[in-house]
Each structure stands twice: as C-alpha cells, then as structure tokens.
Amino acid sequence: MTLRNDPITPEQIAEHGLTQDEYKLILQILNRPPTIVELGIFSVMWSEHCSYKSSKHWLSKLPTDAPWVICGPGENAGIVDVGDGMAAVFKVESHNHPSFIEPYQGAATGVGGILRDVFTMGARPIALLNALRFGSPDHPKTRHLVDGVVAGIGGYGNCIGVPTVGGETTFHPAYNGNNLVNAMCVGLVEQDKIFYARAAGVGNPVVYVGAKTGRDGIHGATMASAEFNDETEAKRPTVQVGDPFTEKLLLEACLELMQTDAIVAIQDMGAAGLTSSSFEMASRGGVGIEMDLDCVPMRETGMTPYEIMLSESQERMLLVLREDAEATARQIMEKWDLDFATIGKVTDTGSMVLRWYGDVVADVPIEPVSGASPVYQRPYEVTANALPIVAESVSSSMELDQALLALISSPDLCSKRWIYEQYDHMVMADTVQRPGGDAAVIRLHGSERGLALTIDCTPRYCQADPVQGGRQAVAEAWRNLTAVGARPLGVTDCLNFGNPENPGIMGQFVGCLQGIGEACAALDFPIVSGNVSLYNETDGQAILPTPTIGGVGLLDDLETSVSMAYDREDLSLVMIGESHGWLGGSLYLREICGRDEGAPPPVELAIERRNGDLVRQLIQQGEVVACHDIADGGMLVALAEMAIASRIGATLDLPEGAGSSIGWLFGEDQSRYLLAVEAERLTTVLDQAASAGVVARAIGRTGGQSLTLKGCDVICLNKLAEKYESWLPSFMTAQD
C-alpha cells in the first residue's frame, strides 16, 4: 500500500513545537515530507519531556554506578540490590503542568503513571511519596490547587491500595503560575523476576492491554515541554483522566502474567502514549515494529491514527509476547476484565510501520526518532555568587520565643498533617515510621529488614547558589535516611527548572547538576533513575530551580531504627556537627527579618560523610534514643520538632563563645544532627565522636512541658504544638 501523505504547513510545524531546523532534520531522515501522523510522532518523541534534548549532555556526567546498582538510568525505573535475592525499584516523575491546569486529575494521573513505571518492571509497589510546591498562600489560586492536588494524590493512591508514606510541601510566590507535583514510587521485586522494555524476537506479537484509548491527554508531552501563558486554561483537554480501579486490575493482571514465561518485553503507555512505548521498546531492542492501529481498543468513535498514537489515556500497557503465549495472556487479561488486542508484530527492519485499515500512515526509522533525537548544549550563564551574611549583622526586635513560634507556624515549617492524613499510609500493614519524620520506614514484608524513604530539596539555596544547592539537596536526603539509621543506597531525581533557552535558567540547571554529581560521588549515593521537567514558567516568570531528590536506604534490622521522637525525660541532647551561625538563605532571615538574600550554607562533603557515618554507627549500636537532622530553621526548630513529636519538653544550654545567639539557634549550617541519648551513654557517644574526628557537644536535656533556653526564654510546649499544627488547617478552611 502507498503512504498516505498530505502537505505539511508551516503552521502545523509550529503547532507541534518543532523548530524549522528540527523539521529540516526530519526531511533528511525521511528523505520526503512527513505524514501528519509522522509529524506528531516526531513532535512528541523530540519534545523536551521525552527526549531530554536540553539536558542529556549534562545528565551523562552524573554518577550512576555502584556494586549494589542492578539497573541505572535508561529503563522505566532504577533498581538496587537490597539483599536476600530482592531488589528495590524506584523512580520520581513530574506532573507539573497537568496539575496546574486540572489539579485533581493532574496529580492523580501523576500517581498512576509512576506506579506503572515501577510495576512494569515486575515489582509490586509498596510505597508512594510526593514533593509539592505551591505559590504564595495569599495568591487567589493557591488554596484551590492545594485542595485539588492533595485530593488527587489521595484519591488515586488510596483506591489502588499503596501507602503514601512521605513527602514535603512548601510555598513560594515563584510557583504562583506553575506549581510542582513530583510523585515517587518504590516497589519490591525478586532479582530473577525483573522485566525490561526491550522488544525482541522477529515475528513475536505486539499486544495492547488495559483500558481503552480515548482522546484525553493528546499532546500532553508537548504541553509539558512549553511554558504557560494567557492561554493555559485552553490546554485542559491535554490533561489525562485516571481510573485507579482499572489501574489496580492492570497491576494485578500484569504481575500475574509475569509469573508465566509469556512476556518478552513490557512498557507502560505514559507520556506520548502508544508512540513512546512502541518506539522505546523497539529502540532498546534494536528491532522494528509493525502495528495495525485499527486493532487498538478505542472508547470513542471516529478516532484517527494521529489521535491513537498521541493519546495519553491512562492504565494501558504495551507488551511483546512469545509467539505461542497469546492465549495465556489473553486469558489472564480477560479474567481481570481488561482489554486485550494483538495490534502488531516485531520485525527486523528497524522501522516503525503503522497501518490504518491496510493503508500505511507512517513509516519511520526508529533510531533517529527514539535514540538519536537532537541534543542541544544550550548557552548558559553561571549564577553570580551571593554574599555571605554574618550572624552578628542580623538583628530583629522579635524575642527568641516569638521568633520560634513564628517560624514553626510558617507555611514551609508548619505541620503538614492536614495533607498526609488524607492519604492512607498504613495500607499493606508494613509502614513502620509514618509521615512527619525525617524518612518513612517500610518493612520488607515478612522480615525484620526495611527500607527508609525520603524526598527533599531546598529551592531557595539552589536559587542563590546552584552548586551548593545541588549538593545540599543530595546531602539532605542522605541525612534524612541516616537519621533513622538506614544505609543510603540510591537516588532518583526530578529536575524542575524554567526555560532552558534562557542562559540564566540553563546556568541554574548546569550548576545544580554539578553539585548533585559531586555530592552523589562523595556520599556513594548513585543516581539510578529520574526525570527532567523544564519550561516551568508562566509569561517568562520561572519557578525557583527545584532539583527534587528522592532517596532510598536499607535497614538491616528494624529494631535498631530510631525516629525524631524521644520517649522519656532526662536524656542528654547532643549536637553532631559544627555551628557557625550561618544565616544566609535561612528561613529566619526570610520569615523574621524579611530578607530573602545571602549565600546559602556551604556543604562540606567530607564532613557530611564523616558525620553521617558516625551517626549511623551510633544508631546501629543502640546508643541513640532519637535523632533528627538539623535543616530548615536551624537547631532550635529541630529541637522544637522533636519536642512536639515526643510531647516532652527540653532545656537547652547556650554554649559560651557561641557568638550570636540568633545564629547559633537559627543558623542553617549543614552536616548536623540532634541526638537524644541516655545520660550514662553520653561520655561514650562523645568519645566515639572525638575518635572519628567529628565535632559533638552536649547542649541540654529532655524533660518538662516547655522548651527552656537557659537564661533566656521559656516556651510552652502546648502553645508551640498548637501553632505548629494550626496554620495549614486554618489556611485551607479560610474563606476567600
């Protein structure tokens, strides 16, 4: 049959987000003008969201290997060895643009997509986390976005029966026009039952399973690769619609089919739908594919080949089966009430050939589309160094107790209980440490071992100094895992930035990746999966650079794990790490002094490693009753969070020679932890620290119903807890 081909106009090229140079490259590849279906294929596969054309060069420099890494970047998710023949599979993905346009479905389908990334590799999902960034609380759209996004995450995760165990939520005016929704999933798989998306076996059937294809989500990948403007609301049809109940059926059906030997390759239909799934499987396997699009199950009448290839309808999978396994697979899928259709076969041509009732509507070589998309080394400007701020130069008329109350009730530091109580974090009955701590802890089912999970970033640091901000994002995740006693294993990253065609934004990206790479290398914390989300801006106003870091760590014995809550009085409080009173980029400076400026605290990676290794060793030896890393808000905020979690107060001694009390109490120096230890073990802990070359000092004790700063202020614990817990519920129930 001849190729159906209609003339392509310059307007169509622009509407598909392709540059004139990219279109010329398409003409060279095909040696002819593309069909409209082929133009759509190139558009989504060469979009920033799918091709990483602005970031691929820099991503290649990140450390991705370690003896315990089974699968690094390039597949649906990363995989690390967790012992006993098991592996953890994990990844974080963005669903930013859809969640701004339609918060409930945008967030819900973000959860659905990241779940499929994990179970398509043979793993049963065991935990979800999320990192959410919203605009200023006084922006008229913020409350609506918070409500919709949280409901969407809870609605999907709760229905499918996977616990949402951790996350973070912050607010800043830079996200007024472009909130961020980053969803992370962790799964567990037997190492000899891992599945990959590599098509193989000429003649093997290509099979579609799951929900029917509709018109929802068409051009979702392209939309996610462009900035917003006044026409944002018109993009609502590009947001997918999710069905968690169908996803649950698909999950169970796929895992059941994986117990047979029917599957050669499997890939979920995520961004760019049938296009990306088919091209990626063929590219990884070095084969071709032929498909009959009229065989695709459709839920709407009159759909065109273009719409079928670009639809991002949810809850769908593409499989390559062994040639004699169709009957087995069909039986399993129909048992779970899912569509099953053989829509094509594997070939040795290296091309994707698409037919529509016998007519060829696309015939393109796979490698130039999937594996050889344009790669840009965009010009970038290095971010100018912010100046350090000396603690002695910072003053405020606010008393220390009032400053703490103001900080603990600020939007970024207040309790996020209103959010996480809408999530089922106990389903599956393996959640050991619930949301609200440094890291969630999940039991490896049926064992005394567990995984620690966290997700973190400090965008204001990345804005002021991208290199230090990138380092700190990794170090903070590493500390969170260490603080519960886990050995950090690996990182998944979600790199959220503005328009990479702006040299200043590209400079932020390059700097953050430099810092991330340095920290991952120094901490033996390899990156095994991730996602890049660019063009997060509206009318030229970019978000803060937000390289979200998800971390996974291993606990060999859950009995040794600790939380931030101490359980008794008269424990000694020990600060690990040195305080120089660093207030640049701090929340104290921003929230109390109204100054959003200054260089962020430097991250000394050798000290970070040394301090963390000691803390982990002390926890595993049973020397530590409770532990909390010192981060946003500084040491006094960390102590307040521990006291609120414990419902027991503490007395704090301000050391002689500490310099500015504001700096010592609220400075955000890195590499620090706050430990609660038995008084009789204090000398042992301090001696071990000295032997390891780690700065450690006793700074107080637990007890009472107040926070007492020796010689200064007394802060009622009940009042502190009320302030901490009340801001978010009050904000969400306030009338506009």
Side-chain angles (χ1 to χ4, degrees), residues 90-352:
F90 58 100
K91 188 182 182 182
V92 63
E93 275 271 11
S94 63
H95 231 223
N96 304 332
H97 287 58
S99 298
F100 185 78
I101 297 168
E102 176 47 65
Y104 184 95
Q105 290 295 350
T109 51
V111 173
I114 199 64
L115 283 163
R116 290 194 300 278
D117 278 339
V118 167
F119 75 74
T120 194
M121 302 198 74
R124 177 171 291 279
I126 60 171
L128 291 162
L129 300 91
N130 54 76
L132 311 177
R133 314 282 173 186
F134 296 104
S136 172
D138 58 13
H139 189 273
K141 200 166 184 176
T142 298
R143 190 179 295 110
H144 163 71
L145 290 170
V146 174
D147 187 62
V149 165
V150 171
I153 292 170
Y156 208 100
N158 295 354
C159 288
I160 202 169
V162 177
T164 300
V165 297
E168 64 169 346
T169 303
T170 61
F171 299 82
H172 192 279
Y175 304 101
N176 281 348
N178 200 130
N179 61 300
L180 302 185
V181 175
N182 295 170
M184 177 177 167
C185 181
V186 182
L188 200 62
V189 65
E190 295 177 40
Q191 292 185 23
D192 59 355
K193 294 182 180 177
I194 296 169
F195 286 80
Y196 297 99
R198 298 170 190 164
V202 173
N204 278 338
V206 175
V207 172
Y208 172 118
V209 301
K212 287 180 169 62
T213 295
R215 290 188 171 94
D216 51 320
I218 293 174
H219 275 302
T222 306
M223 179 268 290
S225 304
E227 63 181 77
F228 284 151
N229 53 37
D230 293 337
E231 299 176 357
T232 295
E233 288 299 320
K235 297 182 179 181
R236 190 176 300 275
T238 62
V239 178
Q240 310 93 327
V241 178
D243 179 357
F245 299 104
T246 300
E247 179 106 337
K248 176 63 172 176
L249 298 177
L250 184 62
L251 185 158
E252 298 300 341
C254 287
L255 293 182
E256 181 176 339
L257 183 58
M258 288 167 174
Q259 297 304 308
T260 73
D261 61 351
I263 298 176
V264 174
I266 180 170
Q267 172 76 45
D268 82 295
M269 296 190 216
L274 186 54
T275 295
S276 63
S277 57
S278 58
F279 272 88
E280 288 172 6
M281 280 208 299
S283 175
R284 289 172 183 147
V287 296
I289 287 179
E290 293 181 2
M291 288 194 294
D292 295 302
L293 299 183
D294 48 286
C295 294
V296 171
M298 288 170 268
R299 69 167 184 261
E300 299 183 44
T301 59
M303 290 192 71
T304 65
Y306 178 95
E307 292 171 327
I308 292 168
M309 287 302 292
L310 270 62
S311 168
E312 294 185 7
S313 294
Q314 297 292 285
E315 294 89 38
R316 303 179 300 159
M317 288 281 186
L318 194 65
L319 287 68
V320 174
L321 300 178
R322 285 193 300 103
E323 199 164 3
D324 60 350
E326 285 181 79
T328 298
R330 180 184 295 275
Q331 183 180 27
I332 291 173
M333 292 300 157
E334 290 180 350
K335 165 192 165 183
W336 290 97
D337 199 24
L338 296 167
D339 276 284
F340 177 100
T342 300
I343 64 172
K345 64 181 180 180
V346 176
T347 70
D348 60 1
T349 64
S351 293
M352 183 70 65

Side-chain angles (χ1 to χ4, degrees), residues 49 52 59 62 91-96 114 129-131 133 168 175 180-184 455-457 459 462 473-474 491-497 509 512-513 516 527 529-534 536 543-551:
H49 191 76
Y52 297 161
L59 295 174
L62 295 173
K91 188 182 182 182
V92 63
E93 275 271 11
S94 63
H95 231 223
N96 304 332
I114 199 64
L129 300 91
N130 54 76
R133 314 282 173 186
E168 64 169 346
Y175 304 101
L180 302 185
V181 175
N182 295 170
M184 177 177 167
I455 190 164
D456 221 303
C457 182
C462 298
V474 173
V491 164
T492 181
D493 59 4
C494 195
L495 307 174
N496 308 273
F497 291 81
F509 184 87
C512 283
L513 258 69
I516 288 170
I527 292 178
S529 62
N531 167 243
V532 178
S533 176
L534 302 177
N536 288 289
I543 63 165
L544 299 182
T546 311
T548 302
I549 299 295

Side-chain angles (χ1 to χ4, degrees), residues 5 20 35 41 128 130 157 302 314 324 345 380 385 432 436 615:
N5 201 352
Q20 286 298 318
T35 68
I41 288 170
L128 291 162
N130 54 76
Q314 297 292 285
D324 60 350
K345 64 181 180 180
Y380 66 91
N385 290 332
V432 177
V615 169

